[in-house]
Amino acid sequence: MTNIAIIGGSGFDNFTALTDVREHRQVTRFGQPSGFILSGTYAGREIFFLARHGSGHTIPPHKINYRANIAALRELGATEIIAVTAVGGIAASTPPRRIVIPNQIVDYTYGREHTFSDGLDSVVQHIDFTYPFSEPLRDEIIRAAAQISLPIEPTGVYGATQGPRLETAAEISRMAKDGCTIVGMTGMPEASLAREAGLNYVNCSLVVNWAAGVVDGTIEFAAIEQHLKLGMASVQQLIKAWLERHRDPDPKI
Ligand code: HPA
């Protein structure tokens, strides 16, 4: 049986579609997750929800306990994760308000606890990460978007930066040369930890600004807020459409 978890990012700190909601306070070997994990019912199945930055959006990207978040979701029985993130757009195909389902990652983060292989148990685990996201889940989400006529960008290269500051124009120019089409602060190490944990993981990114230097001028935070508010409503619609259509490949009933 598959169990789906949503990790919500900036502008997505609740999934109000859930009914019969319960709170789980998990503590893992890696410490506490960002907050309590909700479970509830949608479209006849149990869904988990975790707000990545905490319920009051108080945890900055470099302080998130990514290991505890992934470990706690796995301990609760999650097998598939859809991770929602807000990003800056670098490529012409990723303007503000566009939803992107990236297929690749370049990791520029540093100093984060990025692996479960911490030397405290005996196993050093090497994972294949050629394709960092679950391709079957990406396909399903792209299909769900088409079914509700929601325009999305079906591929993208997520450049993960350290934050919490935004980038300089020169950094974004370098990232564009590296092939990045979007830039965010929380895509890593979340994606590789999910792979280490054996979970199927997909990212759904909402572009909320042009990245630094892509267009003239500086970045306006008021505009970001507006894009977050309107764009995350579309992300919620997309996730609902996907959940309604998601077929359990291995039902236990
Ligand atoms: N850079 C990094 N992270 C972001 C951005 C950005 O421009 N916008 C939203 N998250």
Side-chain angles (χ1 to χ4, degrees), residues 105-150:
I105 296 176
V106 181
D107 185 10
Y108 303 91
T109 64
Y110 49 87
R112 301 182 178 190
E113 294 284 6
H114 68 286
T115 177
F116 290 116
S117 289
D118 57 6
L120 296 179
D121 58 27
S122 55
V123 192
V124 176
Q125 194 193 8
H126 298 286
I127 50 161
D128 172 71
F129 206 44
T130 312
Y131 301 105
F133 301 109
S134 160
E135 289 297 323
L137 288 185
R138 289 185 60 257
D139 284 349
E140 285 186 12
I141 290 171
I142 292 162
R143 251 183 289 129
Q147 281 161 347
I148 59 168
S149 304
L150 183 69

Side-chain angles (χ1 to χ4, degrees), residues 1-3 45 77 79 247-253:
M1 193 170 75
T2 61
N3 286 312
R45 57 194 307 156
T79 54
R247 293 275 172 274
D248 191 339
D250 180 25
K252 279 267 149 51
I253 357 145

Side-chain angles (χ1 to χ4, degrees), residues 86-88 161 166-167 183-185 208-209 211:
V87 296
T161 56
L166 299 179
E167 299 70 34
V183 52
M185 302 173 190
V208 294
N209 57 283

Side-chain angles (χ1 to χ4, degrees), residues 151-193:
I152 59 156
E153 184 62 16
T155 57
V157 180
Y158 184 113
T161 56
Q162 181 72 352
R165 68 165 177 85
L166 299 179
E167 299 70 34
T168 66
E171 286 168 337
I172 292 297
S173 165
R174 180 182 76 151
M175 291 177 73
K177 287 187 199 115
D178 286 351
C180 298
T181 61
I182 52 176
V183 52
M185 302 173 190
T186 53
M188 283 295 284
E190 199 173 87
S192 54
L193 287 166

Side-chain angles (χ1 to χ4, degrees), residues 212-213 215-219:
V215 294
D216 286 344
T218 55
I219 294 170

